[in-house]
Every structure is written in structure tokens, then in C-alpha cells.
Amino acid sequence: MFRRLPDGDRAVALTVTIDGQRYGARTGDTVAALLLLSGAKATRVSPVSGEPRAPYCMMGVCFECLVTIDGVGNRQSCLIEVADGMRIETQKSRREAGR
Ligand code: FES
């Protein structure tokens, strides 16, 4: 559903994992943008209803885009740029103790 706009200057230069699968990313991509490009249907589930949630505002306001990045939970993926080797995990429940 999501695809990149034509942008010939920025080549795929970074590699990250999303739920254990490797993806190529470009410098300057946000984690939320990469998740949407990867086809992810949700970044987390609601701890109250269990309903899937996905990035909405893409500017740090709604908190629907929370993910675990490099073992740290509840990170706003729309505000974080990808980095080479980053480990991104969608959140299946509440933030876990110790994360
Ligand atoms: S998409 Fe709204 S805070 Fe990230």
C-alpha cells in the first residue's frame, strides 16, 4: 500500500531487522515510515482492548506508533531515524518489565 516517492539520490544503504526479518533502509527514513513500507499492519496492540494500532500522525502526537527498538520498549517510531543494524520489534502487549 505504501511506496516511496521517486528519489534517486538516496540509495538503500542501511540494514535493519523488523521482527527478525532484514530490510534495507535509506538514511533519513524514520522507523515508522520503514514499518509502513515493509507492509506492517500494526506497530503494537492496545493494552486495553488488544486491538492493533498503527502510526497515525507521524509527528509525535498520537503515540500509536510505539515499538521496541534495540530492546527498549515504547519508542515513538515516527520520531526516530533508522540506524544501521537497528533491531525493531512490534509490541505485542504492554511494555515489558526490564525493557
Ligand atoms: S505516529 Fe503519532 S506519535 Fe508516532
Side-chain angles (χ1 to χ4, degrees), residues 55-65 76-78:
Y56 181 68
C57 71
M58 299 297 279
M59 59 183 190
V61 176
C62 72
F63 287 77
E64 297 291 5
C65 63
Q76 284 178 277
S77 62
C78 66

Side-chain angles (χ1 to χ4, degrees), residues 32-65:
L34 185 62
L35 283 160
L36 294 171
L37 284 168
S38 77
K41 300 283 188 244
T43 55
R44 67 179 183 97
V45 296
S46 166
V48 175
S49 66
E51 293 294 318
R53 311 303 298 177
Y56 181 68
C57 71
M58 299 297 279
M59 59 183 190
V61 176
C62 72
F63 287 77
E64 297 291 5
C65 63

Side-chain angles (χ1 to χ4, degrees), residues 4-76:
R4 291 184 187 279
L5 294 172
D7 182 4
D9 294 348
R10 296 189 318 143
V12 174
L14 308 172
T15 302
V16 302
T17 61
I18 301 174
D19 291 333
Q21 289 201 312
R22 294 169 58 102
Y23 287 91
R26 295 177 181 175
T27 304
D29 284 348
T30 64
V31 172
L34 185 62
L35 283 160
L36 294 171
L37 284 168
S38 77
K41 300 283 188 244
T43 55
R44 67 179 183 97
V45 296
S46 166
V48 175
S49 66
E51 293 294 318
R53 311 303 298 177
Y56 181 68
C57 71
M58 299 297 279
M59 59 183 190
V61 176
C62 72
F63 287 77
E64 297 291 5
C65 63
L66 300 178
V67 295
T68 299
I69 297 175
D70 293 333
V72 179
N74 286 346
R75 307 286 311 273
Q76 284 178 277

